[in-house]
């Protein structure tokens, strides 16, 4: 077996395991979803901090940043499910952030301002999207007087991301020879307008299927709007991570996922899509 075929098999198996864990956690209920996305968020924050330390001259403390992300997410989950300790979690998060800033007075780092800026970026760019995940799946049921877990919205988010990425790749590789205009050549020379449009159209088609098979909590125009938000912000998320990697001079963000690179490589589209879809749900809900 040549290296190309071996890499394809490795990439496929890794992707299948990732999809199975993600879908299974979402369908398994709020507790499974909490643990899965908390672990995913902490691992991605850790990778981001390690990447900045190795390639951008920072001296972040990955375990503190990852712990802060966990605490922030835990506070939001508890708040939405009616837990009594959510205020304490938010207070602990504030203390961790204070530690990040005050600790630079004693660490004698070469560039403390860079550390502060990247620490804030780790929380806003990476930790916050995962912390917002419960806002896609936990809603207050006024009739029952209790929180209600709804799996369809986070599941649809990732389905749309996968369809958009796959559709863009397939349309780009087959049609870019006829429509060679590049989407963002300065940042990602391989992306074409025809691929992006093709991926977007397939995602809109997928939203029709989700509307047809899901409970009628959303109308078809609302599902189409949901898909469009995912397409636009998912593409931007991909480009933002490409810009980061191009700026610091790396090809992959890590090696934790065989055949896929790092956590950021796998989740770049979700990092902007999650806050955008939460905002969309708040607007149309």
């Amino acid at each position: 077996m040549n290296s190309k075929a071996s890499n394809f098999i490795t990439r496929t198996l890794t992707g299948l395991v990732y999809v199975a864990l993600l879908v299974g956690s979402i369908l398994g209920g709020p507790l499974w979803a909490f643990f899965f996305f908390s672990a995913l968020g902490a691992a991605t924050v850790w990778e981001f901090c390690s990447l900045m330390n190795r390639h951008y001259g920072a001296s972040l403390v990955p375990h503190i940043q990852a712990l802060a992300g966990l605490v922030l997410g835990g506070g939001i989950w508890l708040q939405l499910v009616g837990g009594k300790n959510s205020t304490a979690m938010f207070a602990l998060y504030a203390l961790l952030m204070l530690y990040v800033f005050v600790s630079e007075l004693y660490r004698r780092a070469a560039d403390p301002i860079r550390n502060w800026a990247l620490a804030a970026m780790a929380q806003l760019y990476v930790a916050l999207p995962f912390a917002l995940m419960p806002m896609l799946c936990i809603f207050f049921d006024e009739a029952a007087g209790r929180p209600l877990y709804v799996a369809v919205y986070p599941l649809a988010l990732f389905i749309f991301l996968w369809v958009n990425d796959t559709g863009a790749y397939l349309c780009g590789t087959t049609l870019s020879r006829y429509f060679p205009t590049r989407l963002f050549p300065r940042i990602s020379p391989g992306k074409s307008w025809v691929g992006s449009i093709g991926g977007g159209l397939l995602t809109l088609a997928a939203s029709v299927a989700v509307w047809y098979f899901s409970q009628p909590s959303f109308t078809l125009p609302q599902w189409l709007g949901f898909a469009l938000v995912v397409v636009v912000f998912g593409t931007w998320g991909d480009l933002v991570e490409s810009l980061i990697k191009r700026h610091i001079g790396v090809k992959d963000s890590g090696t934790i996922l065989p055949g896929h690179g790092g956590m950021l490589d796998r989740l770049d589209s979700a990092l902007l899509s999650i806050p955008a879809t939460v905002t969309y749900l708040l607007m149309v809900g």
Side-chain angles (χ1 to χ4, degrees):
M1 183 182 299
N2 58 42
S3 59
K4 187 175 182 180
S6 177
N7 183 66
F8 174 78
I9 293 174
T10 301
R11 181 180 176 85
T12 301
L13 290 175
T14 302
L16 289 174
V17 171
Y18 165 73
V19 170
L21 288 173
L22 189 146
V23 173
S25 298
I26 292 174
L27 295 179
L31 190 60
W32 283 105
F34 165 72
F35 282 117
F36 178 78
F37 285 107
S38 295
L40 207 62
T44 310
V45 170
W46 191 298
E47 181 184 88
F48 175 84
C49 294
S50 300
L51 188 67
M52 293 301 112
N53 288 347
R54 288 195 306 269
H55 300 283
Y56 201 54
S59 55
L60 302 175
V61 184
H63 63 274
I64 295 294
Q65 292 293 328
L67 177 60
L70 281 172
V71 170
L72 177 62
I76 295 178
W77 279 93
L78 285 173
Q79 180 75 24
L80 292 177
V81 300
K84 297 180 180 179
N85 298 318
S86 59
T87 302
M89 296 290 279
F90 293 133
L92 177 57
Y93 179 75
L95 287 175
L96 288 169
M97 289 296 95
L98 287 173
Y99 166 80
V100 168
F101 282 90
V102 174
S103 65
E104 291 297 332
L105 297 173
Y106 302 95
R107 297 179 64 209
R108 298 182 180 180
D111 194 343
I113 294 178
R114 173 174 295 188
N115 289 339
W116 284 331
L118 290 174
M121 186 176 177
Q123 295 302 309
L124 290 174
Y125 172 57
V126 185
L128 181 61
F130 291 103
L132 292 176
M133 280 301 299
M135 297 186 70
L136 286 175
C137 55
I138 299 177
F139 305 91
F140 188 77
D141 187 345
E142 295 183 359
R146 60 182 176 82
L148 176 68
Y149 180 78
V150 180
V152 66
Y153 299 126
L155 195 58
L157 166 68
F158 284 98
I159 289 173
F160 294 162
L161 286 173
W162 297 332
V163 171
N164 186 48
D165 287 345
T166 304
Y169 174 77
L170 293 176
C171 292
T173 53
T174 57
L175 298 176
S176 59
R177 70 184 69 178
Y178 307 108
F179 306 96
T181 305
R182 297 298 162 185
L183 179 67
F184 243 103
R186 179 175 62 89
I187 297 172
S188 185
K191 295 187 184 302
S192 64
W193 270 105
V194 69
S196 296
I197 293 172
L201 292 175
L202 287 173
T203 307
L204 292 175
S207 72
V208 176
V210 171
W211 165 76
Y212 183 80
F213 289 106
S214 66
Q215 296 180 353
S217 55
F218 255 20
T219 64
L220 178 57
Q222 287 174 324
W223 273 119
L224 290 170
F226 190 111
L228 187 61
V229 168
V230 173
V231 167
V232 173
F233 284 89
T235 302
W236 280 340
D238 192 335
L239 290 169
V240 165
E241 200 241 356
S242 294
L243 178 59
I244 292 171
K245 292 191 297 184
R246 182 170 289 271
H247 185 67
I248 64 177
V250 298
K251 182 179 183 294
D252 296 320
S253 64
T255 58
I256 192 171
L257 298 174
H260 291 265
M263 303 297 292
L264 286 169
D265 296 319
R266 181 69 272 175
L267 295 161
D268 52 2
S269 299
L271 294 181
L272 295 193
S273 296
I274 294 171
T277 51
V278 167
T279 304
Y280 177 77
L281 287 181
L282 292 174
M283 292 173 61
V284 303

